[in-house]
């Protein structure tokens, strides 16, 4: 498109301070998010629960929830600073061109000349960079799992399993990452200025392929899926699916408890064949009707078209990213600002472009959170219309207590970070006025904590 090419020429200005601009963006975003975290930390110092939860949560549970929230906030401050120092060092000290040059030396020494093109060079660079960043991520990952989560009773995995999972992840990165990245580069190289059309079609195909193979080949590497045994829960879920004309193919239980006490329920699959997965921890700690209510909420997303709408928005977002990338791919001033004066690798252009796009992506994230919270209210209302108002409210409260989730939030912090409404807002929308029975401390002693992961309720 001529307009994109003209925009590309306009932005390619010799001597333009791209590096200072991107560093400035990153620092500004870090400071803004730090300010939001400080606002939230004040909420985490409150000593009384929100009014709607006063009859549901004991003081001891609330205090422990607040302590957990403060511990995560402090960890977030430190890990955020650690990550910011890493990013700043990579940019300021021109580590990208130095690593590209080093991997070029390896390419010349160890790879036959017939294969020594940009694609192979990029693969060596990418996996080297990924290995470095993965090693740097080990300290905060270890602390978060084996210190913070362990302290509050959530972690269930041993160090051996943690290491094994990381090694499996790296192996999958090589097995699937190499052909995908090679395809990405080949499309850009061979399709000219209109490459973003073909790149977008390629990404759609990859997503559909991933939806198909993930439960068959990838998920079993990390977890065991077992058919849900016949009983009241299976009957209730199948009846719900039949009532909604949900194309349920299989109903599984996943052994999430071998890693943590966190819990969830979700569905996946192609439009004509869906699978529902329920965490064993959710089944263990919830009443049957509460689990069905959770799935009524999740299937509400499907029935109301939320999953389709979000998929469509994601494809539009991907298309506009690739289209904008075509504006920057030949921007010599951008490359030169980061130390690339004689070589202009595609992968480097995409990395630098992603950094330059960060402010716009922050706005997109905010808008998507607003939309997601609206969808959550609608899915809750859908469950209410099915007759699960009380069960859903009780399930949300139980999960909130058992996972020690934050029970209140600063409005600005939640607007920026949360894709789900906070519990008091959801209970208010459900018309829940509270019960007389207060959650006693025995719920913390006798029941192991669980927490929603992936797509929370």
């Amino acid at each position: 498109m001529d307009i994109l090419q003209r925009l590309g020429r306009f932005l390619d200005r010799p001597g333009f301070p791209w590096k200072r601009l991107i560093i400035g963006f990153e620092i500004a975003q870090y400071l803004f998010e730090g300010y939001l975290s400080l606002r939230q930390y004040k909420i985490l110092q409150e000593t009384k629960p929100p009014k709607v939860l006063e009859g549901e949560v004991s003081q001891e549970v609330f205090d422990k929830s607040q302590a957990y929230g403060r511990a995560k906030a402090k960890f977030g401050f430190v890990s955020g600073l650690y990550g910011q120092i890493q990013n700043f060092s990579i940019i300021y000290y021109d580590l990208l061109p130095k690593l590209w040059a080093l991997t070029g030396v390896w390419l010349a020494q160890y790879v036959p000349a017939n294969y020594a093109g940009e694609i192979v060079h990029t693969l060596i660079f990418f996996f080297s960079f990924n290995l470095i960043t993965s090693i740097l991520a080990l300290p905060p990952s270890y602390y978060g799992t084996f210190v913070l989560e362990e302290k509050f009773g959530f972690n269930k995995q041993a160090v051996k399993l943690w290491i094994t999972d990381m090694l499996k992840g790296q192996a999958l990165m090589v097995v699937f990452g190499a052909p995908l990245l090679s395809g990405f580069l080949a499309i850009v190289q061979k399709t000219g200025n209109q490459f973003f059309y073909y790149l977008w079609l390629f990404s759609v195909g990859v997503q559909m392929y991933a939806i198909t193979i993930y439960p068959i080949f990838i998920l079993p590497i990390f977890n065991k899926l077992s058919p849900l045994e016949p009983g009241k829960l299976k009957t209730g879920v199948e009846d719900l699916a039949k009532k909604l004309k949900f194309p349920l193919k299989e109903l599984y239980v996943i052994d999430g408890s071998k890693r943590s006490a966190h819990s969830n329920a979700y569905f996946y699959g192609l439009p004509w064949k869906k699978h529902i997965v329920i965490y064993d921890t959710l089944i263990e700690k919830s009443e049957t009707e509460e689990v069905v209510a959770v799935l009524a909420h999740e299937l509400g997303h499907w029935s109301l078209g939320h999953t389709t709408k979000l998929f469509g928005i994601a494809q539009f977002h991907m298309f506009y990213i690739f289209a904008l990338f075509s504006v920057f791919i030949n921007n010599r001033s951008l490359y030169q600002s980061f130390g690339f004066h004689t070589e202009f690798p595609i992968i480097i252009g995409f990395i630098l472009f992603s950094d330059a796009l960060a402010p716009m992506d922050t706005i997109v994230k905010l808008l998507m959170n607003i939309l997601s919270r609206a969808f959550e209210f609608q899915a809750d209302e859908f469950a209410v219309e099915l007759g699960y108002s009380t069960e859903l409210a009780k399930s949300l409260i139980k999960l909130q207590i058992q996972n020690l989730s934050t029970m209140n939030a600063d409005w600005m912090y939640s607007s920026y970070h949360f894709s789900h409404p906070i519990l008091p807002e959801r209970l208010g929308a459900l018309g829940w006025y509270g019960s007389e029975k207060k959650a006693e401390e025995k719920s913390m002693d006798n029941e192991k904590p669980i927490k929603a992961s992936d797509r929370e309720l």
Side-chain angles (χ1 to χ4, degrees):
M1 296 175 67
D2 289 342
I3 188 171
L4 294 177
Q5 295 177 25
R6 289 199 299 268
L7 180 59
R9 289 191 294 269
F10 173 77
L11 292 174
D12 190 3
R13 296 169 175 261
F16 188 81
W18 286 106
K19 181 184 285 188
R20 291 201 300 270
L21 186 66
I22 289 176
I23 289 177
F25 283 154
E26 290 195 356
I27 293 175
Q29 182 175 0
Y30 173 74
L31 293 176
F32 175 67
E33 292 181 354
Y35 165 71
L36 294 181
S37 296
L38 288 174
R39 290 177 61 101
Q40 176 64 8
Y41 197 83
K42 292 180 180 179
I43 300 295
L44 295 171
Q45 292 177 312
E46 293 179 351
T47 58
K48 296 293 183 182
K51 276 194 171 298
V52 70
L53 295 176
E54 286 180 350
E56 312 298 334
V57 180
S58 71
Q59 188 63 44
E60 189 167 358
V61 169
F62 179 74
D63 291 343
K64 192 169 184 179
S65 169
Q66 292 290 81
Y68 181 50
R70 290 193 298 271
K72 290 193 296 181
K74 292 174 183 176
F75 175 62
F77 285 127
V78 176
S79 60
L81 179 60
Y82 178 68
Q84 195 65 26
I85 292 173
Q86 286 183 46
N87 293 338
F88 180 82
S89 299
I90 290 171
I91 294 173
Y92 186 80
Y93 294 105
D94 288 334
L95 297 184
L96 290 178
K98 291 175 181 176
L99 181 60
W100 181 263
L102 177 61
T103 52
V105 172
W106 296 343
L107 181 73
Q109 289 180 344
Y110 302 112
V111 178
N114 292 340
Y115 298 96
E118 182 180 350
I119 291 180
V120 175
H121 190 176
T122 298
L123 291 176
I124 297 172
F125 168 84
F126 176 79
F127 291 123
S128 299
F129 185 73
N130 179 69
L131 179 61
I132 293 170
T133 54
S134 297
I135 292 172
L136 291 173
L138 289 178
S141 176
Y142 182 89
Y143 181 89
T145 302
F146 295 102
V147 178
L148 195 155
E149 294 291 295
E150 188 81 28
K151 177 181 178 180
F152 289 90
F154 291 115
N155 178 51
K156 301 300 175 186
Q157 63 178 321
V159 174
K160 181 180 178 180
L161 181 59
W162 178 70
I163 294 174
T164 302
D165 281 351
M166 285 191 296
L167 294 177
K168 289 178 181 178
Q170 291 299 314
L172 288 172
M173 175 70 73
V174 173
V175 171
F176 291 100
L180 292 177
L181 184 54
S182 298
F184 175 92
L185 296 171
I187 289 171
V188 176
Q189 289 178 339
K190 297 180 182 300
T191 55
N193 292 332
Q194 308 302 315
F195 72 84
F196 57 91
Y197 286 117
Y198 303 98
L199 208 54
W200 174 70
L201 291 174
F202 176 70
S203 72
V204 173
V206 168
Q207 290 174 71
M208 299 303 294
Y209 179 68
I211 291 172
T212 303
I213 70 166
Y214 176 77
I216 300 173
F217 297 108
I218 299 178
L219 186 58
I221 295 175
F222 298 93
N223 291 95
K224 180 182 178 182
L225 288 176
S226 304
L228 180 63
E229 295 181 358
K232 187 177 179 182
L233 177 58
K234 184 175 184 179
T235 301
V237 175
E238 289 177 341
D239 289 346
L240 176 65
K242 187 180 299 184
K243 180 178 181 180
L244 299 177
K245 297 182 179 179
F246 179 77
L248 178 61
K249 177 67 175 178
E250 299 288 349
L251 189 54
Y252 294 113
V253 177
I254 190 171
D255 61 339
S257 58
K258 78 175 185 179
R259 283 182 177 79
S260 78
H262 301 351
S263 180
N264 196 16
Y266 62 90
F267 65 86
Y268 66 87
L270 297 170
W272 57 88
K273 186 173 68 174
K274 299 290 188 181
H275 309 268
I276 291 177
V277 177
I278 309 173
Y279 277 57
D280 54 357
T281 46
L282 181 62
I283 295 174
E284 179 185 353
K285 301 301 179 183
S286 302
E287 300 294 332
T288 297
E289 286 302 307
E290 292 171 352
V291 177
V292 176
V294 167
L295 290 171
H297 167 93
E298 292 300 325
L299 297 190
H301 287 299
W302 171 82
S303 183
L304 297 170
H306 295 165
T307 51
T308 302
K309 292 172 185 176
L310 290 175
F311 182 80
I313 292 171
Q315 302 322 303
F316 176 79
H317 184 234
M318 188 70 69
F319 183 82
Y320 110 85
I321 286 177
F322 289 148
L324 285 181
F325 177 44
S326 72
V327 172
F328 285 87
I329 191 171
N330 295 314
N331 191 318
R332 297 295 185 259
S333 64
L334 177 62
Y335 283 98
Q336 291 167 359
S337 183
F338 285 86
F340 290 87
H341 300 285
T342 57
E343 291 185 272
F344 309 101
I346 295 170
I347 188 64
I348 297 299
F350 192 73
I351 291 172
L352 299 180
F353 158 73
S354 299
D355 289 337
L357 193 67
M360 188 177 298
D361 269 353
T362 298
I363 297 174
V364 172
K365 172 188 171 183
L366 175 62
L367 295 176
M368 288 303 298
N369 280 343
I370 293 173
L371 179 63
S372 178
R373 287 194 295 271
F375 282 173
E376 292 303 316
F377 281 124
Q378 291 172 18
D380 283 350
E381 184 179 357
F382 184 88
V384 170
E385 291 173 353
L386 291 175
Y388 292 104
S389 175
T390 300
E391 292 81 1
L392 182 59
K394 288 182 177 179
S395 179
L396 291 174
I397 293 169
K398 182 180 291 187
L399 285 171
Q400 195 84 3
I401 293 171
Q402 291 172 336
N403 75 25
L404 298 180
S405 292
T406 302
M407 299 187 187
N408 204 357
D410 173 75
W411 71 269
M412 190 180 293
Y413 179 90
S414 62
S415 297
Y416 182 82
H417 284 289
F418 290 176
S419 61
H420 288 59
I422 60 175
L423 182 61
E425 293 174 339
R426 295 181 73 175
L427 293 178
L430 288 171
W432 177 264
Y433 299 105
S435 63
E436 296 180 0
K437 185 177 180 180
K438 184 177 287 190
E440 301 296 341
E441 177 57 25
K442 67 179 181 180
S443 68
M444 301 303 303
D445 296 332
N446 298 335
E447 296 186 20
K448 297 179 180 179
I450 66 175
K451 181 179 181 181
S453 60
D454 299 321
R455 183 168 185 50
E456 295 192 359
L457 301 177

